Amino acid sequence: MTTHIEQQLYSREILDVGVISLRPIHLDKDIDTIYKWITNPHAKYWGMLTSTKEEVYEAYYEIEKNPHHHTYIGMLDNEPIFLMERYKASEDIIGKHYHAHLNDYGMHILVAPVKQRIPKFTWHVFSTIINYFFSLPYVERVVVEPDVHNTKIHILNKKAGFVYQHEIKLASKIAALAFCTRETYKKALIKLTEK
């Protein structure tokens, strides 16, 4: 528990939910949890349903060796609840599909299956992640490239103010390219409070 607190990168307390926080991945300690999450049927868009634990470990070991791509575990109080990757778009394959700005950063998010339903839980996780991105002074735009069929993530993206551009063909999917800036996020939050 002390390790998580010491390594915590960002946290946000949400009334009636708890404290959602981010910490770096500890691959040796987290591999069982990550493996369980990404081979669960709800994670089909993660593209690793049939992977072995060794393959998952190797994939995340490679990510952690990359200075432009990092993985984080999201916690609710002291319980792991989501996986998040942050990458520099200009140094990623996505940068070959549009004119990537130096301060564009992409993300991938996987929320664990919930043990107990919490109203608006996924939105609380999602908005905490966007808040984290925009707490970093070097991030100007957040880039996403979800599978075009992943309707749940499209709903969250649009709710947060992501502006969809066009579809792109990646190795494992047809993706929808979308961007969010501090301004579009702020406008989206204002719109939500007005409802």
Side-chain angles (χ1 to χ4, degrees):
M1 302 231 186
T2 311
T3 307
H4 299 324
I5 293 166
E6 287 172 357
Q7 302 236 351
Q8 186 174 288
L9 296 175
Y10 184 83
S11 71
R12 177 181 175 219
E13 187 166 3
I14 298 163
L15 189 66
D16 298 327
V17 175
V19 176
I20 297 179
S21 60
L22 274 173
R23 66 164 173 83
I25 193 175
H26 306 301
L27 192 50
D28 290 331
K29 292 179 186 173
D30 293 325
I31 187 60
D32 288 340
T33 300
I34 293 170
Y35 177 69
K36 185 170 77 175
W37 288 350
I38 66 178
T39 55
N40 184 294
H42 92 287
K44 65 180 179 179
Y45 292 112
W46 210 254
M48 298 182 82
L49 288 183
T50 60
S51 300
T52 65
K53 191 185 291 185
E54 291 71 26
E55 288 168 337
V56 172
Y57 186 97
E58 186 60 32
Y60 281 94
Y61 180 75
E62 288 302 315
I63 287 173
E64 289 311 295
K65 282 186 356 187
N66 182 338
H68 305 291
H69 198 152
H70 304 285
T71 307
Y72 305 94
I73 295 290
M75 310 287 287
L76 174 58
D77 298 325
N78 293 310
E79 182 81 21
I81 55 161
F82 67 90
L83 181 68
M84 191 269 282
E85 295 175 22
R86 185 191 80 207
Y87 63 88
K88 188 171 174 64
S90 61
E91 301 295 328
D92 186 82
I93 191 71
I94 194 69
K96 298 187 185 334
H97 292 271
Y98 80 102
H99 178 64
H101 299 178
L102 281 178
N103 293 328
D104 285 353
Y105 283 81
M107 67 174 181
H108 299 138
I109 304 165
L110 178 65
V111 179
V114 291
K115 295 174 185 168
Q116 179 183 346
R117 194 180 177 284
I118 300 170
K120 301 181 181 176
F121 179 67
T122 309
W123 170 248
H124 291 315
V125 167
F126 194 83
S127 58
T128 298
I129 291 167
I130 302 299
N131 286 350
Y132 162 68
F133 268 85
F134 288 135
S135 76
L136 303 171
Y138 51 84
V139 174
E140 287 182 4
R141 285 196 302 183
V142 181
V143 184
V144 291
E145 23 71 28
D147 190 297
V148 292
H149 301 294
N150 189 348
T151 51
K152 287 182 181 178
I153 199 68
H154 297 314
I155 291 166
L156 283 171
N157 286 339
K158 289 173 183 175
K159 187 175 180 177
F162 278 85
V163 178
Y164 277 62
Q165 305 297 311
H166 53 266
E167 293 180 3
I168 56 175
K169 186 167 176 27
L170 300 176
S172 60
K173 63 186 178 184
I174 303 297
L177 181 68
F179 302 104
C180 185
T181 63
R182 283 178 178 80
E183 191 59 31
T184 58
Y185 182 50
K186 191 193 300 181
K187 283 180 182 173
L189 293 181
I190 290 168
K191 192 174 172 185
L192 286 174
T193 59
E194 289 171 348
K195 284 187 176 178

